[in-house]
Amino acid sequence: MKAMIILNPSSGKEKAADYAEKIEETLRNQYDDIDIRRTEKEGDAAAFATEACVALYDAVIAMGGDGTINEAINGLAEQAHRPALGIIPLGTVNDFARALNIPLDPYEAISVLDGQNLQPVDIGKINEHYFANVIAVGAIAEASYSVSPELKTRLGSLAYFMEGAKSFLNGEAIDICVEHDNGKWEGQTFLLIAALTNSVGGFEALAPKASVNDGKFHAFIIKKMSVPKIAALIPSLMKGELQESEEVEYIRSSFLNVTSGKHHVVNIDGEEGEPLPFKARVLQSHLEVFVPENGK
């Protein structure tokens, strides 16, 4: 049995080496060979994960934030052999870990590996890239790129919320066309957000009907509206009732094709992605992930 630990040394407030040592100690109960790979630049985590697939590793343990997890998933996706994926969350938001009830405390997350309890989960494919959690289009999504690392460290997911609120209040809307399982939607929107899980930007109630392997995107199109209506929408967002608002179009679909007449860039798992148009689809139950037993 072989396992690979992919470690982002810049995550975890310089405790990453201690966490790696603890993971290695935990994995010794199950695996004969354990390799530790440290990322140095963008793309390393994806390359290491693909190497683990080709070499027929049994498990890949990714340590880092949502960006590192996203890279590891891109390395694993659609390979002939896909090792089980372990997640040790060391980032600001850690949406994928939240959705799978993986503890946000790194040492508690490491203890999950000892149980060897696996859950099949969906991943998304957008054009030729893969993602674990969410894609978004609109000025609010693009505003997240301007959040500084210092602000993310200080405020966590609240930093993204603050930048998004500024865009909302500026009243910036975009024209888009969205094709989906049940037809097509066209119009002006402040934000299109399509989630694979219930946790988006640290808000665990955004898509309460989403499960990690239902084979569907849960998409919310927030239509153009006045500032008072925007303010009235916030409680619905916090309570997980967004889909019930008249100002929101809720779409449940296995695919989304999105176009726009102007230049807009899609946000993929919190990172700047590629310009529209895009085609996205769900790869159902595509990866197996280590999760707590009984979901706790």
PDB file of all heavy atoms in Angstrom, residues 92-93 144 147-160 270-271:
ATOM      1  N   THR A  92      -8.081  29.612   4.129  1.00  0.00           N
ATOM      2  CA  THR A  92      -8.916  30.650   4.729  1.00  0.00           C
ATOM      3  C   THR A  92     -10.360  30.190   4.865  1.00  0.00           C
ATOM      4  O   THR A  92     -10.987  30.390   5.905  1.00  0.00           O
ATOM      5  CB  THR A  92      -8.872  31.927   3.853  1.00  0.00           C
ATOM      6  OG1 THR A  92      -7.516  32.322   3.689  1.00  0.00           O
ATOM      7  CG2 THR A  92      -9.652  33.052   4.498  1.00  0.00           C
ATOM      8  N   VAL A  93     -10.902  29.552   3.832  1.00  0.00           N
ATOM      9  CA  VAL A  93     -12.322  29.216   3.807  1.00  0.00           C
ATOM     10  C   VAL A  93     -12.557  27.715   3.948  1.00  0.00           C
ATOM     11  O   VAL A  93     -13.385  27.272   4.727  1.00  0.00           O
ATOM     12  CB  VAL A  93     -12.976  29.742   2.506  1.00  0.00           C
ATOM     13  CG1 VAL A  93     -14.458  29.378   2.467  1.00  0.00           C
ATOM     14  CG2 VAL A  93     -12.799  31.263   2.404  1.00  0.00           C
ATOM     15  N   SER A 144     -13.556  39.385  -5.677  1.00  0.00           N
ATOM     16  CA  SER A 144     -12.768  38.578  -4.737  1.00  0.00           C
ATOM     17  C   SER A 144     -11.295  38.558  -5.087  1.00  0.00           C
ATOM     18  O   SER A 144     -10.448  38.317  -4.237  1.00  0.00           O
ATOM     19  CB  SER A 144     -13.310  37.146  -4.691  1.00  0.00           C
ATOM     20  OG  SER A 144     -13.097  36.484  -5.919  1.00  0.00           O
ATOM     21  N   VAL A 147      -9.028  40.920  -3.031  1.00  0.00           N
ATOM     22  CA  VAL A 147      -8.823  40.721  -1.594  1.00  0.00           C
ATOM     23  C   VAL A 147      -7.359  40.358  -1.351  1.00  0.00           C
ATOM     24  O   VAL A 147      -6.854  39.386  -1.904  1.00  0.00           O
ATOM     25  CB  VAL A 147      -9.749  39.607  -1.047  1.00  0.00           C
ATOM     26  CG1 VAL A 147      -9.476  39.371   0.435  1.00  0.00           C
ATOM     27  CG2 VAL A 147     -11.200  39.963  -1.265  1.00  0.00           C
ATOM     28  N   SER A 148      -6.682  41.137  -0.540  1.00  0.00           N
ATOM     29  CA  SER A 148      -5.260  40.905  -0.292  1.00  0.00           C
ATOM     30  C   SER A 148      -5.059  39.691   0.615  1.00  0.00           C
ATOM     31  O   SER A 148      -5.933  39.357   1.427  1.00  0.00           O
ATOM     32  CB  SER A 148      -4.630  42.130   0.373  1.00  0.00           C
ATOM     33  OG  SER A 148      -5.143  42.280   1.689  1.00  0.00           O
ATOM     34  N   PRO A 149      -3.901  39.026   0.510  1.00  0.00           N
ATOM     35  CA  PRO A 149      -3.614  37.900   1.412  1.00  0.00           C
ATOM     36  C   PRO A 149      -3.681  38.300   2.881  1.00  0.00           C
ATOM     37  O   PRO A 149      -4.121  37.525   3.730  1.00  0.00           O
ATOM     38  CB  PRO A 149      -2.190  37.487   1.007  1.00  0.00           C
ATOM     39  CG  PRO A 149      -2.046  37.944  -0.406  1.00  0.00           C
ATOM     40  CD  PRO A 149      -2.856  39.214  -0.502  1.00  0.00           C
ATOM     41  N   GLU A 150      -3.251  39.557   3.184  1.00  0.00           N
ATOM     42  CA  GLU A 150      -3.275  40.030   4.570  1.00  0.00           C
ATOM     43  C   GLU A 150      -4.698  40.124   5.093  1.00  0.00           C
ATOM     44  O   GLU A 150      -4.999  39.733   6.221  1.00  0.00           O
ATOM     45  CB  GLU A 150      -2.591  41.401   4.678  1.00  0.00           C
ATOM     46  CG  GLU A 150      -1.099  41.399   4.365  1.00  0.00           C
ATOM     47  CD  GLU A 150      -0.789  41.312   2.872  1.00  0.00           C
ATOM     48  OE1 GLU A 150      -1.699  41.623   2.061  1.00  0.00           O
ATOM     49  OE2 GLU A 150       0.337  40.927   2.513  1.00  0.00           O
ATOM     50  N   LEU A 151      -5.614  40.631   4.225  1.00  0.00           N
ATOM     51  CA  LEU A 151      -7.017  40.768   4.635  1.00  0.00           C
ATOM     52  C   LEU A 151      -7.661  39.395   4.796  1.00  0.00           C
ATOM     53  O   LEU A 151      -8.455  39.172   5.719  1.00  0.00           O
ATOM     54  CB  LEU A 151      -7.783  41.596   3.599  1.00  0.00           C
ATOM     55  CG  LEU A 151      -9.119  42.212   4.053  1.00  0.00           C
ATOM     56  CD1 LEU A 151      -8.902  43.157   5.219  1.00  0.00           C
ATOM     57  CD2 LEU A 151      -9.791  42.939   2.893  1.00  0.00           C
ATOM     58  N   LYS A 152      -7.311  38.464   3.911  1.00  0.00           N
ATOM     59  CA  LYS A 152      -7.850  37.099   4.032  1.00  0.00           C
ATOM     60  C   LYS A 152      -7.415  36.469   5.350  1.00  0.00           C
ATOM     61  O   LYS A 152      -8.191  35.805   6.022  1.00  0.00           O
ATOM     62  CB  LYS A 152      -7.380  36.231   2.856  1.00  0.00           C
ATOM     63  CG  LYS A 152      -8.125  36.490   1.570  1.00  0.00           C
ATOM     64  CD  LYS A 152      -7.891  35.391   0.551  1.00  0.00           C
ATOM     65  CE  LYS A 152      -6.517  35.435  -0.043  1.00  0.00           C
ATOM     66  NZ  LYS A 152      -6.343  34.433  -1.126  1.00  0.00           N
ATOM     67  N   THR A 153      -6.139  36.680   5.704  1.00  0.00           N
ATOM     68  CA  THR A 153      -5.622  36.098   6.945  1.00  0.00           C
ATOM     69  C   THR A 153      -6.325  36.699   8.151  1.00  0.00           C
ATOM     70  O   THR A 153      -6.666  36.001   9.110  1.00  0.00           O
ATOM     71  CB  THR A 153      -4.099  36.339   7.050  1.00  0.00           C
ATOM     72  OG1 THR A 153      -3.472  35.722   5.931  1.00  0.00           O
ATOM     73  CG2 THR A 153      -3.548  35.750   8.331  1.00  0.00           C
ATOM     74  N   ARG A 154      -6.586  38.014   8.090  1.00  0.00           N
ATOM     75  CA  ARG A 154      -7.169  38.717   9.237  1.00  0.00           C
ATOM     76  C   ARG A 154      -8.660  38.468   9.390  1.00  0.00           C
ATOM     77  O   ARG A 154      -9.164  38.266  10.497  1.00  0.00           O
ATOM     78  CB  ARG A 154      -6.883  40.217   9.110  1.00  0.00           C
ATOM     79  CG  ARG A 154      -7.014  40.961  10.426  1.00  0.00           C
ATOM     80  CD  ARG A 154      -6.395  42.336  10.380  1.00  0.00           C
ATOM     81  NE  ARG A 154      -7.227  43.290   9.684  1.00  0.00           N
ATOM     82  CZ  ARG A 154      -6.888  43.918   8.562  1.00  0.00           C
ATOM     83  NH1 ARG A 154      -5.727  43.662   8.004  1.00  0.00           N
ATOM     84  NH2 ARG A 154      -7.687  44.787   7.994  1.00  0.00           N
ATOM     85  N   LEU A 155      -9.381  38.450   8.262  1.00  0.00           N
ATOM     86  CA  LEU A 155     -10.841  38.403   8.329  1.00  0.00           C
ATOM     87  C   LEU A 155     -11.451  37.092   7.828  1.00  0.00           C
ATOM     88  O   LEU A 155     -12.652  36.879   8.000  1.00  0.00           O
ATOM     89  CB  LEU A 155     -11.437  39.575   7.522  1.00  0.00           C
ATOM     90  CG  LEU A 155     -11.058  40.984   7.984  1.00  0.00           C
ATOM     91  CD1 LEU A 155     -11.690  42.013   7.068  1.00  0.00           C
ATOM     92  CD2 LEU A 155     -11.498  41.226   9.427  1.00  0.00           C
ATOM     93  N   GLY A 156     -10.658  36.241   7.199  1.00  0.00           N
ATOM     94  CA  GLY A 156     -11.205  34.983   6.691  1.00  0.00           C
ATOM     95  C   GLY A 156     -12.249  35.227   5.617  1.00  0.00           C
ATOM     96  O   GLY A 156     -12.122  36.131   4.789  1.00  0.00           O
ATOM     97  N   SER A 157     -13.332  34.426   5.637  1.00  0.00           N
ATOM     98  CA  SER A 157     -14.356  34.527   4.601  1.00  0.00           C
ATOM     99  C   SER A 157     -15.071  35.870   4.620  1.00  0.00           C
ATOM    100  O   SER A 157     -15.645  36.290   3.615  1.00  0.00           O
ATOM    101  CB  SER A 157     -15.378  33.396   4.754  1.00  0.00           C
ATOM    102  OG  SER A 157     -15.992  33.446   6.026  1.00  0.00           O
ATOM    103  N   LEU A 158     -15.018  36.579   5.765  1.00  0.00           N
ATOM    104  CA  LEU A 158     -15.648  37.900   5.850  1.00  0.00           C
ATOM    105  C   LEU A 158     -15.016  38.871   4.859  1.00  0.00           C
ATOM    106  O   LEU A 158     -15.693  39.775   4.352  1.00  0.00           O
ATOM    107  CB  LEU A 158     -15.521  38.444   7.276  1.00  0.00           C
ATOM    108  CG  LEU A 158     -16.176  39.808   7.560  1.00  0.00           C
ATOM    109  CD1 LEU A 158     -17.682  39.742   7.293  1.00  0.00           C
ATOM    110  CD2 LEU A 158     -15.905  40.247   8.992  1.00  0.00           C
ATOM    111  N   ALA A 159     -13.743  38.684   4.529  1.00  0.00           N
ATOM    112  CA  ALA A 159     -13.059  39.560   3.565  1.00  0.00           C
ATOM    113  C   ALA A 159     -13.736  39.483   2.207  1.00  0.00           C
ATOM    114  O   ALA A 159     -13.952  40.500   1.542  1.00  0.00           O
ATOM    115  CB  ALA A 159     -11.587  39.176   3.459  1.00  0.00           C
ATOM    116  N   TYR A 160     -14.092  38.276   1.772  1.00  0.00           N
ATOM    117  CA  TYR A 160     -14.775  38.103   0.486  1.00  0.00           C
ATOM    118  C   TYR A 160     -16.171  38.725   0.538  1.00  0.00           C
ATOM    119  O   TYR A 160     -16.626  39.340  -0.423  1.00  0.00           O
ATOM    120  CB  TYR A 160     -14.890  36.615   0.146  1.00  0.00           C
ATOM    121  CG  TYR A 160     -13.567  35.941  -0.092  1.00  0.00           C
ATOM    122  CD1 TYR A 160     -13.059  35.025   0.814  1.00  0.00           C
ATOM    123  CD2 TYR A 160     -12.825  36.208  -1.241  1.00  0.00           C
ATOM    124  CE1 TYR A 160     -11.840  34.388   0.585  1.00  0.00           C
ATOM    125  CE2 TYR A 160     -11.612  35.583  -1.480  1.00  0.00           C
ATOM    126  CZ  TYR A 160     -11.133  34.674  -0.556  1.00  0.00           C
ATOM    127  OH  TYR A 160      -9.932  34.060  -0.789  1.00  0.00           O
ATOM    128  N   GLY A 270     -12.941  29.890  -5.956  1.00  0.00           N
ATOM    129  CA  GLY A 270     -12.360  31.053  -5.303  1.00  0.00           C
ATOM    130  C   GLY A 270     -11.161  31.663  -6.001  1.00  0.00           C
ATOM    131  O   GLY A 270     -10.630  32.679  -5.549  1.00  0.00           O
ATOM    132  N   GLU A 271     -10.744  31.071  -7.129  1.00  0.00           N
ATOM    133  CA  GLU A 271      -9.582  31.590  -7.851  1.00  0.00           C
ATOM    134  C   GLU A 271     -10.006  32.113  -9.221  1.00  0.00           C
ATOM    135  O   GLU A 271     -10.991  31.652  -9.800  1.00  0.00           O
ATOM    136  CB  GLU A 271      -8.537  30.485  -8.036  1.00  0.00           C
ATOM    137  CG  GLU A 271      -8.046  29.858  -6.741  1.00  0.00           C
ATOM    138  CD  GLU A 271      -7.196  30.799  -5.901  1.00  0.00           C
ATOM    139  OE1 GLU A 271      -6.561  31.699  -6.494  1.00  0.00           O
ATOM    140  OE2 GLU A 271      -7.157  30.636  -4.671  1.00  0.00           O
TER     141      GLU A 271
END
